[in-house]
Amino acid sequence: MLNGRKSLFSGMQATGTLTLGNYLGALNNWVTLADEYECFYSVVDMHSITVRQDPATLRKRSRELLTLYIAAGLDPEKNCIYYQSHVSAHAELAWILNCFTYMGELNRMTQFKDKSAKHADNINAGLFTYPVLMASDILLFQTDVVPVGIDQMQHLELARNIAERFNNIYGEVFTMPQAYVGKVGAKIQSLQDPSKKMSKSDENENASIYLTDSPDTVIRKFKRAVTDSEACIRYSDEQPGIKNLINIYSVCTKKTPEEVVKEFEGKGYGDFKMAVGETVASILKPIQEKQADLLKNKDYIDGIIKANGEKANYFATKTLRKVQRKVGFPDRIR
Ligand code: ATP
Ligand code: LTN
């Protein structure tokens, strides 16, 4: 709870061009939940450097991501949209929570295993303790709810364990966060291999719809999406390609998968793919236009970065000071 309201925290890394998976699995839910909670949406640039980044590219992408949050429908006057690196409490709390997290717990994280296999030449300590920084993000804001895709559930469970461990020793310091996972869009699969999740770091460009893709590109990628030879639109695990397209269409049109199946009864895959492509393209277009406008408006965006950075800093520091007292750090002399 913050300001007498339930609070919400989530974040994304500016490590590539966002995909439709990021949008339907996370960002879209953020917008839906925004009115109900005191919201903090961070561009988690400190997490990004667990994998080597080109500085100029990271800076540019971070700004693009922050504007994309707004373009997707988050009102920056009501929601605290900010850069993680502008609030030093994230790093300070992460240090403390590192001392309350076991190596064994971190060793079990599947994202660490995946990323260290992928970046075998740079298995740094930050990659290993990434989930502790994520726990700090969440716990700093006394967060009640964390909207994420399914792949982040293991990290969230760890954040809850750390909070519980800390509270058991020092009393009720942290709110216990809950994950919020959308019913249908929580895991959008690759268009080229429906057994894999759609990911912004996939090397095959046809596997992902990027939020920056033009309508023609979107339609072309859906036309090429891997399906099967059943020639029947059913919502079944035996047809993972079609199931994925139904999920995408379902979230975009706010229809249930059953309603979608009904709508396309007797129709061919070609018609269905076209409908999915057109629907997705029509959702992306206004977001792209708004983002382009915002990126031109430097003073407005700078104002948001400053004001929201200060707001995030205020709430984060409150929790940090409490934690520092609890663990026995000396009081500051004013
Ligand atoms: P990377 O490929 O670099 O690991 P990513 O595409 O998996 O990145 P993240 O930055 O790790 O994206 O995720 C941002 C948010 O989007 C998280 O809440 C995550 O759960 C969600 N998300 C990512 N991919 C998908 C997907 N395919 N379906 C649904 N949600 C997703
Ligand atoms: N690990 C997340 C991004 C992230 C996050 C968070 C999400 C960092 N801190 C706090 C929710 C809450 C990711 O890569 N998807």
Side-chain angles (χ1 to χ4, degrees):
M1 294 280 270
L2 272 191
N3 262 351
R5 295 175 85 195
K6 287 204 164 186
S7 71
L8 179 155
F9 185 97
S10 201
M12 276 193 210
Q13 303 187 63
T15 44
T17 311
L18 254 57
T19 70
L20 189 63
N22 300 128
Y23 180 71
L24 297 181
L27 199 48
N28 189 36
N29 290 330
W30 296 6
V31 177
T32 315
L33 294 168
D35 288 339
E36 266 179 71
Y37 297 90
E38 184 73 41
C39 297
F40 296 83
Y41 293 114
S42 188
V43 171
V44 291
D45 46 1
M46 289 161 67
H47 278 102
S48 304
I49 61 161
T50 53
V51 170
R52 207 63 78 221
Q53 304 289 335
D54 169 61
T57 311
L58 179 62
R59 212 178 333 271
K60 179 166 176 279
R61 281 185 176 156
S62 297
R63 193 164 176 106
E64 284 166 0
L65 184 55
L66 187 129
T67 26
L68 186 69
Y69 287 1
I70 305 170
L74 293 171
D75 179 348
E77 310 284 334
K78 293 192 189 138
N79 302 285
C80 187
I81 294 173
Y82 74 101
Y83 292 130
Q84 183 188 32
S85 63
H86 285 191
V87 178
S88 56
H90 285 273
E92 292 184 71
L93 182 62
W95 173 255
I96 296 174
L97 296 186
N98 266 318
C99 305
F100 292 84
T101 308
Y102 299 113
M103 302 285 283
E105 288 177 305
L106 295 174
N107 261 325
R108 283 197 289 277
M109 295 293 123
T110 54
Q111 183 175 300
F112 172 68
K113 290 184 206 164
D114 293 349
K115 296 238 158 150
S116 41
K118 208 164 159 193
H119 304 278
D121 56 338
N122 180 22
I123 306 177
N124 61 71
L127 195 63
F128 189 61
T129 59
Y130 176 115
V132 184
L133 179 59
M134 177 161 163
S136 307
D137 300 344
I138 296 167
L139 300 177
L140 270 179
F141 295 96
Q142 303 296 346
T143 303
D144 294 280
V145 54
V146 186
V148 280
I150 277 175
D151 61 313
Q152 293 300 313
M153 288 300 281
Q154 198 186 28
H155 287 161
L156 208 84
E157 212 34 60
L158 179 68
R160 288 167 56 88
N161 290 340
I162 297 172
E164 195 178 14
R165 186 170 303 144
F166 197 94
N167 285 353
N168 279 339
I169 304 173
Y170 300 104
E172 289 300 302
V173 177
F174 296 124
T175 303
M176 197 54 78
Q178 296 270 348
Y180 175 98
V181 178
K183 278 192 211 77
V184 183
K187 198 161 181 217
I188 302 297
Q189 305 298 83
S190 151
L191 296 186
Q192 290 299 312
D193 176 358
S195 68
K196 272 182 17 193
K197 85 164 189 170
M198 186 181 285
S199 158
K200 55 174 131 70
S201 46
D202 201 311
E203 270 128 46
N204 183 349
E205 292 213 340
N206 289 320
S208 308
I209 301 286
Y210 300 108
L211 300 189
T212 47
D213 280 345
S214 70
D216 287 350
T217 307
V218 171
I219 289 167
R220 178 175 47 78
K221 286 183 178 176
F222 276 112
K223 271 191 189 158
R224 287 198 192 165
V226 170
T227 48
D228 52 63
S229 51
E230 300 275 318
C232 178
I233 297 167
R234 266 189 308 236
Y235 194 66
S236 142
D237 288 337
E238 275 141 49
Q239 291 175 254
I242 287 293
K243 185 176 181 184
N244 189 37
L245 297 184
I246 295 176
N247 280 336
I248 292 172
Y249 191 73
S250 163
V251 194
C252 291
T253 56
K254 300 196 172 65
K255 291 175 184 163
T256 63
E258 295 71 34
E259 286 167 339
V260 177
V261 169
K262 214 160 190 183
E263 184 178 338
F264 289 93
E265 212 172 77
K267 300 235 170 82
Y269 286 181
D271 288 347
F272 180 46
K273 285 177 166 181
M274 194 64 187
V276 182
E278 281 176 349
T279 306
V280 169
S282 72
I283 289 179
L284 298 190
K285 198 159 171 266
I287 299 177
Q288 292 165 353
E289 287 169 358
K290 177 117 197 265
Q291 189 194 23
D293 273 352
L294 287 167
L295 282 169
K296 279 185 229 147
N297 205 338
K298 183 172 183 304
D299 291 348
Y300 173 68
I301 296 295
D302 284 350
I304 283 163
I305 291 170
K306 184 159 188 290
N308 281 332
E310 281 164 9
K311 180 175 170 188
N313 211 31
Y314 170 79
F315 287 112
T317 306
K318 247 174 123 164
T319 302
L320 178 68
R321 294 286 176 260
K322 199 166 167 188
V323 171
Q324 288 172 326
R325 280 214 94 242
K326 291 285 184 184
V327 298
F329 292 171
D331 287 335
R332 273 150 212 265
I333 314 291
R334 282 185 231 215

Coordinates of all heavy atoms in Angstrom, one line a residue, residues 9-13 44 47 130 134 137-138 146 148 152 155, ligand 2:
F9 N 3.9 -2.5 -9.3 CA 5.2 -2.2 -9.9 C 5.4 -3.2 -11.1 O 5.1 -4.4 -11.0 CB 6.3 -2.4 -8.9 CG 7.7 -2.0 -9.5 CD1 8.2 -0.8 -9.3 CD2 8.4 -2.9 -10.3 CE1 9.4 -0.4 -9.8 CE2 9.6 -2.5 -10.9 CZ 10.1 -1.3 -10.6
S10 N 6.0 -2.6 -12.2 CA 6.5 -3.5 -13.2 C 7.6 -2.8 -14.0 O 7.7 -1.6 -13.9 CB 5.4 -4.1 -14.1 OG 5.8 -5.3 -14.8
G11 N 8.3 -3.6 -14.8 CA 9.4 -3.0 -15.6 C 9.7 -3.8 -16.8 O 9.4 -5.0 -16.8
M12 N 10.4 -3.2 -17.7 CA 10.9 -3.9 -18.9 C 12.3 -3.4 -19.1 O 12.7 -2.3 -18.8 CB 10.1 -3.6 -20.1 CG 8.9 -4.5 -20.2 SD 8.2 -4.3 -21.8 CE 6.5 -4.6 -21.3
Q13 N 13.1 -4.3 -19.8 CA 14.5 -3.9 -20.2 C 14.5 -3.3 -21.6 O 13.8 -3.9 -22.5 CB 15.3 -5.1 -20.2 CG 15.4 -5.9 -18.9 CD 16.4 -7.0 -19.0 OE1 17.6 -6.7 -19.2 NE2 16.0 -8.2 -18.9
V44 N 14.0 -0.6 -16.7 CA 15.0 -1.2 -15.8 C 16.3 -1.3 -16.5 O 16.8 -2.3 -16.8 CB 14.5 -2.6 -15.2 CG1 13.4 -2.3 -14.2 CG2 14.1 -3.6 -16.3
H47 N 19.1 -3.5 -15.0 CA 19.1 -4.9 -15.4 C 19.7 -5.1 -16.7 O 20.3 -6.2 -17.0 CB 17.6 -5.4 -15.4 CG 17.1 -5.8 -14.0 ND1 16.2 -4.9 -13.3 CD2 17.3 -6.8 -13.3 CE1 16.0 -5.5 -12.2 NE2 16.6 -6.7 -12.1
Y130 N 20.7 -10.8 -10.6 CA 19.6 -10.1 -11.3 C 18.3 -10.2 -10.5 O 17.6 -9.2 -10.3 CB 19.5 -10.7 -12.7 CG 18.4 -10.2 -13.6 CD1 18.7 -9.5 -14.8 CD2 17.1 -10.5 -13.4 CE1 17.7 -9.1 -15.7 CE2 16.0 -10.1 -14.2 CZ 16.4 -9.4 -15.4 OH 15.4 -9.0 -16.2
M134 N 15.7 -7.3 -9.0 CA 14.2 -7.3 -9.3 C 13.4 -7.4 -8.1 O 12.4 -6.7 -8.0 CB 13.9 -8.5 -10.3 CG 12.5 -8.6 -10.6 SD 12.3 -9.7 -12.1 CE 10.5 -10.0 -11.9
D137 N 13.4 -3.9 -6.7 CA 12.4 -3.0 -7.4 C 11.0 -3.1 -6.8 O 10.4 -2.1 -6.6 CB 12.3 -3.5 -8.9 CG 13.6 -3.5 -9.7 OD1 14.6 -2.9 -9.2 OD2 13.7 -4.1 -10.7
I138 N 10.6 -4.4 -6.7 CA 9.3 -4.6 -6.3 C 9.0 -4.2 -4.8 O 8.1 -3.5 -4.5 CB 8.9 -6.1 -6.5 CG1 9.0 -6.5 -7.9 CG2 7.6 -6.5 -5.9 CD1 9.0 -8.0 -8.2
V146 N 2.1 -7.3 -9.3 CA 3.2 -7.2 -10.3 C 2.7 -7.9 -11.6 O 2.7 -9.1 -11.7 CB 4.5 -7.9 -9.8 CG1 5.6 -7.6 -10.8 CG2 4.9 -7.5 -8.4
V148 N 3.2 -9.4 -15.0 CA 4.3 -9.9 -15.8 C 3.8 -11.1 -16.6 O 2.7 -11.6 -16.4 CB 5.4 -10.4 -14.9 CG1 6.3 -9.3 -14.4 CG2 4.9 -11.3 -13.8
Q152 N 8.3 -14.7 -15.9 CA 8.9 -14.1 -14.7 C 8.4 -14.6 -13.4 O 8.7 -14.1 -12.3 CB 8.6 -12.5 -14.8 CG 9.3 -11.9 -16.0 CD 10.8 -12.0 -15.9 OE1 11.4 -11.8 -14.8 NE2 11.4 -12.4 -17.0
H155 N 11.0 -15.6 -10.8 CA 11.6 -14.4 -10.1 C 10.7 -13.8 -9.0 O 11.1 -13.4 -8.0 CB 12.0 -13.4 -11.1 CG 13.1 -13.7 -12.0 ND1 13.4 -13.1 -13.2 CD2 14.1 -14.6 -11.8 CE1 14.5 -13.6 -13.7 NE2 14.9 -14.6 -12.9
Ligands
LTN2 N1 13.0 -9.2 -15.2 C1 11.9 -8.5 -15.9 C2 12.0 -7.0 -15.9 C3 11.9 -6.6 -14.5 C4 10.7 -6.6 -13.7 C5 11.1 -6.0 -12.5 C6 9.4 -7.0 -13.9 C7 12.9 -6.0 -13.7 N2 12.4 -5.7 -12.5 C8 10.2 -5.9 -11.4 C9 8.5 -6.8 -12.9 C10 8.9 -6.3 -11.7 C11 12.0 -9.0 -17.3 O1 13.1 -9.0 -17.9 N3 11.0 -9.3 -17.9

